[in-house]
């Protein structure tokens, strides 16, 4: 499915909310991502505060409460969508419900058009109604903003050939990529219960690590090689019937939108456990997501051709290949990682950018990952989260995790420079601190944005968490 560029993407479009005109804002009127916000509601029965989770859209430095907008009638307009608006927006239903197959086709695009029209500079309905503005507009800073979907299942892919080659070179210098990599989007089934929202701390995990001596007993204790992974999350909006694969031509229709994802990794635990079945406890302790889901409609102006494959690479099998996917299956999203140590925050120093990569350079596209995931008959469901895997590029400053970023190897040398697990250059922080892996008190911040000449820049907000010490044993 090709998402159309329409009036909601017009770079000249402005909002009556002045902060949305800031060229550095992640949330101009051309974006309109979806989140939820926990709001207190007084309970008349027991005089205690209760909570409601309304759906919201960030616009500049404000949040528009779209659930309350529907309840107030300001997002109305008559027609075939009214029942859906009442059912799926007015009462703060999670995005999972918007994926209901009974929802009228075009509902999501119509929601975007109505929000855009309501916030447009020349629309008076809300702009000139002080009482209604006070009811519908919230300050974004300090608001309790959370993801608007309930994670049903979590699958993490391994879609960057640069990341796969780097990591493979560390452990298999003579054979970095296994034979299946160029044929299938490799992934593993993660843990949905430990997908947490941005801002929640991440506790350093305990686990087994490889024996100090061959044949000895493994160690057990806090991970000493805690790492982040710079990723994008793809939120499934509409599922498929069990046993019926999703065709690649239809795959993007099943994706609601994208968010930032940090799939935390304990590298020393991972090294001991990953054979023969892959990651387990080294990944299941936490995966952090940003609260705002940027919809596929908003991303329409930022599509790009899928990366060209070299002459040595096979062409994907028919169920993973299509002309539209080759021509525009990639999405041009710049992704950055920042680090702030506890000492840096105490000294009020700005976070340091560690790396910058781009989603469009991934070997496998969103549509290919969705099509492959369902090709065996797996039934994806609304609210499922798919991770891209670490977004890494061909240069050192585009490597998306510390495992790669501090490694001194060259995966394209023959054999790769640096023996497995050796030769690392620490990251130097402005305080004089050095990092090979994360320390307690470190805050990792992911940011993402799309920009293109002739288009308004749109962003994803941030995805952040502070590392806490491991529990005592």
């Amino acid at each position: 499915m090709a998402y159309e560029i329409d009036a909601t993407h017009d770079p000249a479009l402005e909002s009556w909310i002045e902060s949305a005109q800031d060229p550095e804002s992640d949330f101009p009127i051309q974006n309109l991502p979806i989140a939820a916000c926990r709001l207190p509601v007084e309970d008349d029965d027991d005089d205690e505060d209760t909570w409601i989770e309304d759906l919201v859209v960030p616009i500049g430095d404000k949040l528009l409460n779209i659930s309350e907008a529907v309840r107030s009638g300001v997002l109305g307009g008559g027609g075939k969508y009214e029942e859906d608006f009442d059912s799926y927006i007015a009462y703060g239903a999670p995005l999972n419900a918007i994926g209901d197959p009974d929802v009228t086709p075009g509902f999501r695009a119509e929601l975007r058009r109505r929000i855009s029209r309501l916030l447009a500079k020349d629309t008076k309905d809300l702009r000139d109604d002080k009482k209604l503005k006070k009811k519908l507009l919230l300050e974004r800073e300090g608001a309790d903003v959370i993801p608007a979907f309930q994670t049903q299942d979590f699958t993490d892919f391994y879609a960057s050939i640069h990341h796969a080659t780097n990591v493979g070179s560390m452990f298999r210098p003579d054979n970095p990529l296994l034979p299946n990599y160029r044929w299938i989007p490799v992934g593993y089934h993660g843990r949905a219960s430990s997908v947490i929202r941005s801002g929640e701390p991440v506790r350093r995990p305990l686990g087994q690590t490889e024996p100090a001596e061959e044949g000895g007993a493994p160690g057990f204790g806090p991970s000493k090689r805690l790492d982040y992974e710079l990723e994008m999350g793809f939120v499934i909006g509409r599922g498929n019937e069990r046993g019926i694969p999703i065709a690649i031509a239809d795959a993007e229709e099943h994706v609601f939108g994208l968010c930032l994802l940090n799939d935390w990794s304990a590298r020393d635990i991972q090294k001991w456990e990953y054979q023969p079945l892959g990651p387990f406890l080294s990944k299941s302790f936490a995966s952090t997501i940003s609260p705002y889901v940027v919809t596929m409609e908003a991303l329409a102006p930022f599509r790009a051709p899928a990366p060209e494959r070299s002459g040595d690479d096979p062409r994907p099998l028919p169920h993973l290949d299509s002309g539209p996917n080759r021509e525009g299956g990639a999405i041009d999203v710049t992704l950055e990682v920042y680090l702030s140590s506890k000492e840096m925050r105490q000294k009020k120093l700005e976070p340091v950018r560690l790396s910058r990569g781009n989603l469009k350079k991934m070997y496998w596209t969103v549509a290919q990952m969705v099509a492959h995931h369902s090709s065996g008959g797996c039934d994806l469901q609304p609210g499922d989260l798919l991770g891209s895997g670490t977004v890494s590029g061909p240069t050192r400053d585009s490597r998306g995790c510390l495992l790669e970023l501090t490694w001194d190897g060259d995966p394209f040398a023959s054999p790769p420079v640096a023996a497995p697990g050796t030769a690392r250059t620490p990251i130097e922080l402005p305080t004089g601190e050095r990092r090979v892996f994360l320390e307690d008190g470190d805050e990792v911040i992911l940011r993402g944005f799309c920009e293109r000449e002739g288009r308004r820049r749109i962003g994803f907000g941030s995805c952040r968490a502070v590392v806490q010490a491991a529990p005592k044993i």
Side-chain angles (χ1 to χ4, degrees), residues 10-28:
D10 184 350
L13 187 64
E14 293 187 347
S15 171
W16 47 265
I17 296 177
E18 289 301 322
S19 57
Q21 269 62 268
D22 183 347
E24 296 300 313
S25 174
D26 277 352
F27 305 119

Side-chain angles (χ1 to χ4, degrees), residues 166-244:
N166 285 335
V167 174
S169 297
M170 296 178 204
F171 303 106
R172 299 181 304 275
D174 297 325
N175 187 27
L177 286 183
L178 295 176
N180 64 354
Y181 188 85
R182 289 183 169 90
W183 291 100
I184 60 172
V186 175
Y188 74 93
H189 194 194
R191 181 75 184 173
S193 67
S194 54
V195 174
I196 60 176
R197 63 170 172 157
S198 176
E200 288 189 42
V202 169
R203 190 174 291 279
R204 183 179 297 274
L206 302 170
Q208 285 193 26
T209 54
E210 68 178 344
E213 298 179 359
E214 187 173 352
F220 181 81
S223 171
K224 295 178 181 178
R225 295 189 173 187
L226 183 61
D227 201 357
Y228 62 81
E229 287 192 342
L230 172 64
E231 301 195 23
M232 290 238 72
F234 315 127
V235 182
I236 296 297
R238 180 163 62 87
N240 59 297
E241 182 181 347
R242 185 179 300 122
I244 306 300

Side-chain angles (χ1 to χ4, degrees), residues 48-380:
E48 292 184 5
D49 286 344
T50 56
W51 296 88
I52 186 172
E53 292 182 2
D54 276 351
L55 296 178
V56 295
V57 165
I59 177 73
D61 60 2
K62 300 290 192 287
L63 295 172
L64 172 68
N65 186 331
I66 60 173
S67 294
E68 186 60 43
V70 172
R71 294 194 292 265
S72 301
V74 77
L75 266 185
K80 60 183 179 180
Y81 295 104
E82 295 319 293
E83 185 175 342
D84 294 334
F85 272 67
D86 288 341
S87 298
Y88 299 107
I89 301 297
Y91 298 101
L95 295 186
N96 306 55
I98 298 178
D100 189 315
D102 292 333
V103 173
T104 309
F107 166 79
R108 197 170 71 199
E110 177 65 14
L111 174 62
R112 176 179 168 83
R113 284 192 289 269
R114 292 192 189 187
I115 296 171
S116 177
R117 189 162 56 244
L118 183 65
L119 293 171
K121 197 167 191 175
D122 296 333
T123 303
K124 301 178 181 180
D125 302 38
L126 182 58
R127 185 193 69 186
D128 297 343
D129 190 328
K130 292 183 179 179
K131 185 176 180 181
L132 196 55
K133 271 199 300 189
K134 186 175 180 180
K135 191 176 183 181
L136 300 187
L137 280 184
L138 312 169
E139 295 296 327
R140 185 161 56 84
E141 186 172 352
D144 192 5
V145 183
I146 59 177
F149 64 97
Q150 297 168 356
T151 304
Q152 304 295 311
D153 265 312
F154 172 40
T155 300
D156 199 37
F157 284 92
Y158 196 47
S160 166
I161 196 168
H162 301 289
H163 174 64
T165 302
N166 285 335
V167 174
S169 297
M170 296 178 204
F171 303 106
R172 299 181 304 275
D174 297 325
N175 187 27
L177 286 183
L178 295 176
N180 64 354
Y181 188 85
R182 289 183 169 90
W183 291 100
I184 60 172
V186 175
Y188 74 93
H189 194 194
R191 181 75 184 173
S193 67
S194 54
V195 174
I196 60 176
R197 63 170 172 157
S198 176
E200 288 189 42
V202 169
R203 190 174 291 279
R204 183 179 297 274
L206 302 170
Q208 285 193 26
T209 54
E210 68 178 344
E213 298 179 359
E214 187 173 352
F220 181 81
S223 171
K224 295 178 181 178
R225 295 189 173 187
L226 183 61
D227 201 357
Y228 62 81
E229 287 192 342
L230 172 64
E231 301 195 23
M232 290 238 72
F234 315 127
V235 182
I236 296 297
R238 180 163 62 87
N240 59 297
E241 182 181 347
R242 185 179 300 122
I244 306 300
I246 299 171
I248 190 167
D250 303 325
E252 287 194 7
E253 293 184 19
H254 293 259
V255 180
F256 187 92
L258 278 60
C259 64
L260 301 171
L261 167 64
N262 183 346
D263 192 36
W264 301 86
S265 300
R267 301 301 187 186
D268 42 358
I269 299 172
Q270 182 179 1
K271 184 179 180 182
W272 173 239
E273 73 176 7
Y274 86 103
Q275 292 181 330
L277 294 179
F280 183 33
L281 300 185
S282 59
K283 297 274 192 176
S284 64
F285 60 96
S287 299
T288 304
I289 56 173
S290 57
Y292 302 110
V293 178
V294 176
T295 65
M296 296 298 285
E297 288 83 4
L299 294 166
F302 304 101
R303 304 309 296 255
E308 287 190 23
R309 302 198 170 191
S310 70
D312 296 333
D313 288 352
R315 183 168 177 170
L317 295 179
H319 72 291
L320 296 177
D321 193 25
S322 73
N325 185 69
R326 291 193 298 272
E327 295 161 10
I331 306 175
D332 188 355
V333 184
T334 298
L335 294 165
E336 299 177 329
V337 183
Y338 292 80
L339 179 65
S340 174
S341 70
K342 183 177 180 180
E343 185 178 343
M344 287 173 63
R345 296 193 299 278
Q346 290 173 340
K347 293 181 176 180
K348 302 188 183 307
L349 298 174
E350 289 296 313
V352 173
R353 192 178 78 192
L354 300 184
S355 69
R356 172 184 279 190
N358 197 296
L359 186 67
K360 70 180 180 180
K361 295 182 179 179
M362 303 296 270
Y363 194 78
W364 297 101
T365 66
V366 178
Q368 287 173 318
M369 287 183 255
V370 171
H372 177 65
H373 201 317
S374 67
S375 62
C378 172
D379 50 328
L380 298 175

Side-chain angles (χ1 to χ4, degrees), residues 28-42:
I29 195 171
Q30 291 82 1
N31 193 352
L32 307 180
I34 305 289
C37 187
R38 296 183 75 237
L39 300 168
V41 177
E42 185 175 319

